[in-house]
Amino acid sequence: MKVVWSWLLELVDLDRQPTVEEGARALTAAGLEIEALTDLGAGFTGVVVAEVVAKRPHPEAAKLTLVDVITARGGAATQVVCGAPNVPEPGRKVLWAPPGATLPGGITLATKPVKGVPSPGMLCSETELAIGDDDDGIIVLAADDATPLGAPAQQALGVDDWLLEVNAPANRADLLGHLGVARELAALIGGRLVPPSIALDELTGDLDAAALAAIAIADPAGCPRYIARVIDGVTVGKSPRKFAQRLRAVGVRPLSNIVDVTNYVMFELGQPLHGFDWAHVAGARIEVRRATAGERMTTLDDQERALVPEDLLICDGARPVAIAGVMGGKDSEVSAATTRVLLEAASFDARSVRRTARRLGLHSEASHRFERQVDPALAELASARAASLIARLGGGRIARGSVDVYPRPTTVAPIAVRWERLRALSGTGMIDAIAIGACERLGFAVESTGPHTAQVTPPSARADILREVDVIEDVLRIVGYDQVPSTLPRLASAPRHTVDDRGDRARRALAGAGLAEAITFGFQAPTRAAALQLPADDRRARPIPLRNPMSLDQAVMRTALLPNLIAAIARNRSFGRADGALFEVGSVFLRKDAGTGEITELADEPIHATAVLTGLRPAWLGPARAWDFFDAKGLLETLVAALVGNAPLAFERATDIPYLHPGAAARLVGPDGAVWGEVGEVHPATREALGVDGPVFAFTLELARLPAAAIAQMRAIPKFPSASRDLSLLVGVDVPAGEVERVLRSAADALVEAIALREDYRDAKLPAGTKSMLFSITYRAGDRTLTDAEVAAAHEAIVARATADLGATRR
Amino acid sequence: MTTTLALVAELEQLGSEFDGVIAPLVDEQAIRAAQAQFLGKKGRVSEAMKALGKLPPADRPTVGAAANRVKDAITAAVDRKLGELVAAARAADLARTIDVTLPGRPHHSGHLHLLTQVRLEAQAIFAELGFAVAEGPQIETDWHTFEALAIPKDHPARDMQDTFYLSDEIVLRTHTSPVQIRTMQAQRPPIRIIAPGQVYRRDDDPTHSPMFTQIEGLCVDENISFADLKGTLVHFVSRFFGKSLAIRFRPSYFPFVEPGAEVDMACSFCEGRGCRVCKQTGWVEIGGSGMVDPDVFAHVDIDSERYTGFAFGMGLERMAMLRHGVNDIKYYYEGDLRFLGQF
Ligand SMILES: [Zn+2]
């Protein structure tokens, strides 16, 4: 809401005159944030009011005039060359930009010859001063203009003023007019509201509104009140300059005096108004009703609108003439030929206006206000004020009375308020009198009902004040939030939350292992999900679509973290970072149904930890090694250990994960037999689809599949020494290392503490079809030092099993 | 015939000969071998002593004493020689030098995302005040996101422009406030939670990202006041920014709190003098807050006469921006190692 400072001050009688900065500060502190404070006259400097004392034609050019002007009564005249066709007769005032004056666009005036005659500066037009769009000639002040000679032009134009841009809270329709802001200012500074002047004394006996306009409301819920007035004999024309200037300041283009008045009163009081050309209201009759199916009308902006039955219409005896609260119709628009105006001041249901405005994509100053529920009581004041202004500016006569259809007048119910509740909720010791004083400054009627209790009745304009807590907020607002002390809440034992912090533990483990954490968007391009090459029935291949994405890149929810991370690698490579180790821990979004369209229930949102490795590992001096599968596997093992301790894990070769290389991928199976995650080289087709042309290794752990970490219990530190024996085996080259290890473990008795693979060696010198594996086996007993014979017996048992089960030979 | 004198002389001769033998030796093994050659069971001293039996018994103590002297001398020479070797080796070791200006071998520790670091820190600060972490889904029902927070369908505070819809009744949560509702549905007061998480709004410019991170706070109990809200946020800001920055509570409207307040902090860049970051106002907005509206309590069946509560929400990106000078919100989400590696 744009507020003109002088306009605001017209509507209040303040105890003391604040500066505009003071006013802006006070309003901001009370929750009416002033987003901008603009000097309306800042566009030009040095331009002054001057009086024409003589004029004569330019000797060399017929279209130019030599004008003598004075800037002080009895002062010396200065001759200025003027090219405008409308140089006035002596005695009228114009605006002179003398040498040194500056104009919008950064022009500084000087004395320059015009067709051989020197001209000290120039006489200004509206466009030259950027205060209007009339460039047909220079500005000539009204004959009765009282601005003194030599005064700044800003004063004569009504731009020696400030514009405040107020960010009004969404529940404060009352702040969408100067009057509401004035009510706040009066409460904050101290003072009283001064309603705008209304002169309805031009009422004549021969014209009666009731006889000129019949009003019927078919839908009182949609239209609680409709007031019509008729102003006869108007002359449609331009509005006076200062009046039009205020409209320009608040962002409305002046059109004609009648339309300008309706806009002016809307900005002044917050009540939207509409003027109809009475001659085009068929049957001198207005009916407010819902549209019928298939009904159409053409609005002011020349668009033909298809209407639906929920749209509320203003109709005359024959057809719709306006969409209620949204926009008027083309046919009944006030035009230059209009002589009799039917002035509408009505209240419409906020939801109804909002739905229609939204559906038609029509957001007007009127709908903006109606959507926030305009006070029905305001219509009466606005109707009278506008009629009075139309009569003044358009020279018309106001028909006697008004037609006011208001079937169920809104009443404001008093609110029971406990001042103790105010003190408790605010945490202040505010005494009753301070609170009551704040209410009264806001125009709330306060009636004491007992010790520390009262009935509070807000003005009807304050539809947001319905409950005790609303009154409490407003009291605090006016007294000032800075009057509330800062305390800490008393520490109460709140029930303990069992927080799943696996995500953060995973983050710390992976960052500790040298990876950088990324956070990527929850939505992505559909092509990213497609890059996983999953079959159509996999729910990861059916990402949840957004109904209204901002771009195709954000059209569907992610079903895996991998695509965004690979895309991040591609991005890093594009600026020369070919090496990287990234991870993300975050939610993926999986639909619960078998469809592909809009979801009908909430999604599963499991948290995944995914990492990608590409290029070279960080190295010291000398050559670096490339990341490989076993780096990924080792990091995954490290991550699992950080989350659940040293659980026995199995990695099962996987050839069927579509986004991983079929020869270099494995599933991680936990001790519970469930798949916890997967690791592998990313399938070349997947990474290429995401823009990466070199190997990428990746793993994913589904955190929810892991058991809660048990509280670690200490194991006894061994008291007796261990013995270690190496075992070198020749095994068939196709036997997986995991299988060899499993067999060795199966033969291990209680004396075996650890089996560790040291070498996995393939060489042409070995017997054909074999590889050499070197294990280091550690033996220990908890209660004694093992003898060589005991160790040897255990070791030979393992060798025997390896020979028997694997056909291995000892080297 | 060997005489006593000759044998004593021979033993003494062996002693001095040993000195000559070990003088050039430089390793312990050779020295021990030489020692064995002289003092072993079949060593030269033992060999020489075989003549002892041929001497008169009266002379044997004299010869025995000489033999012991020689043995002691040889043992002492060995010890001395070994000591010299150790000292020489130590001296040689200490003469080693390396180029200490070569780069250190990096440990390659990774990086938690700046937003994670900021979140963990905020959680820790609130944990000191008894706030536990709570979570909720990012894909939320319209009811939890809006209706239960006193924002009905036709409310002006709700704008299709801002919300990503997945269907008529399902949205991407626009704030973390639905976690308030889920928590109050599941738990009776006292409640003290902090709910960090990703939220989504249709907004994209240098200060807005369509996805960003909020941290929501909720405290419900008997006798919780607006003053407690102020104190809690003042405490948080001074702990988080590590300096005492002025805090301002400005009345504001959020349908689910009443009284509601926008929280401004004195600009940490210019300390309130006015700069580009704070648009010359000296203040920066850090979040919204207020007392839980009785209508919200009604939706979750909490008696608003007995219990009161406060709630607040802050943007983590903004907090990180203010503290770490991040000048464009997009850096947080691009996975750019040049950015991630800085924190
Ligand atoms: Zn600043």
Side-chain angles (χ1 to χ4, degrees), chain B residues 35-332:
Chain B
Q35 186 184 20
Q37 203 189 338
F38 279 75
L39 294 183
K41 278 182 189 154
K42 291 179 180 169
R44 294 177 62 187
V45 172
S46 300
E47 288 298 316
M49 287 297 280
K50 282 180 181 167
L52 190 65
K54 294 169 187 160
L55 294 179
D59 287 357
R60 289 180 191 170
T62 310
V63 175
N68 285 339
R69 275 201 309 279
V70 170
K71 286 177 186 169
D72 289 349
I74 287 176
T75 306
V78 166
D79 289 349
R80 191 174 59 248
K81 184 69 184 176
L82 289 176
E84 285 168 12
L85 286 183
V86 168
R90 170 62 50 87
D93 180 48
L94 292 178
R96 256 185 320 113
T97 62
I98 58 164
D99 181 355
V100 297
T101 64
L102 284 173
R105 187 174 277 115
H107 171 63
H108 303 303
S109 55
H111 304 273
L112 285 176
H113 195 285
L114 178 59
L115 292 176
T116 299
Q117 296 182 36
V118 166
R119 174 175 60 76
L120 291 171
E121 199 177 322
Q123 285 174 201
I125 294 169
F126 283 112
E128 292 166 7
L129 299 178
F131 286 80
V133 174
E135 284 172 338
Q138 296 175 37
I139 294 179
E140 246 313 356
T141 65
D142 183 274
W143 188 85
H144 283 92
T145 312
F146 297 120
E147 297 273 344
L149 290 160
I151 315 172
K153 279 241 158 49
D154 287 307
H155 199 283
R158 191 162 156 167
D159 214 320
M160 183 77 178
Q161 295 298 98
D162 299 328
T163 306
F164 288 107
Y165 281 87
L166 303 183
S167 71
D168 283 340
E169 296 301 328
I170 300 177
V171 301
L172 289 180
R173 67 179 178 193
T174 56
H175 47 190
T176 39
S177 307
V179 182
Q180 285 184 32
I181 301 300
R182 289 187 177 273
T183 303
M184 290 190 284
Q185 282 180 316
Q187 185 192 331
R188 296 290 90 184
I191 292 170
R192 208 171 283 207
I193 56 139
I194 203 88
Q198 264 102 44
V199 301
Y200 300 82
R201 287 186 201 170
R202 290 175 51 91
D203 235 341
D204 201 355
D205 63 45
T207 56
H208 295 92
S209 166
M211 181 186 90
F212 62 101
T213 319
Q214 270 194 342
I215 188 157
E216 183 91 6
L218 175 70
C219 175
V220 181
D221 201 350
E222 292 172 355
N223 301 314
I224 296 295
S225 72
F226 192 74
D228 293 333
L229 166 64
K230 281 186 76 173
T232 300
L233 291 180
V234 166
H235 173 81
F236 172 73
V237 167
S238 62
R239 284 291 310 277
F240 183 83
F241 286 94
K243 47 187 167 181
S244 201
L245 290 165
I247 302 276
R248 176 172 85 166
F249 285 73
R250 240 178 335 105
S252 190
Y253 172 64
F254 306 99
F256 44 100
V257 286
E258 179 107 3
E262 200 102 51
V263 187
D264 296 343
M265 179 183 87
C267 176
S268 57
F269 279 80
C270 62
E271 299 194 328
R273 286 185 297 273
C275 69
R276 190 185 52 80
V277 170
C278 57
K279 296 179 191 145
Q280 309 305 327
T281 62
W283 295 96
V284 287
E285 261 178 51
I286 57 169
S289 68
M291 302 303 292
V292 179
D293 193 287
D295 289 354
V296 174
F297 279 142
H299 278 295
V300 293
D301 198 23
I302 286 178
D303 177 1
S304 60
E305 274 297 304
R306 178 171 171 200
Y307 295 108
T308 50
F310 65 74
F312 57 85
M314 293 179 285
L316 280 187
E317 284 80 359
R318 192 158 177 80
M319 311 280 302
M321 183 273 265
L322 290 172
R323 201 172 69 167
H324 300 276
V326 179
N327 57 16
D328 191 328
I329 197 167
K330 74 172 190 286
Y331 290 123
Y332 293 117

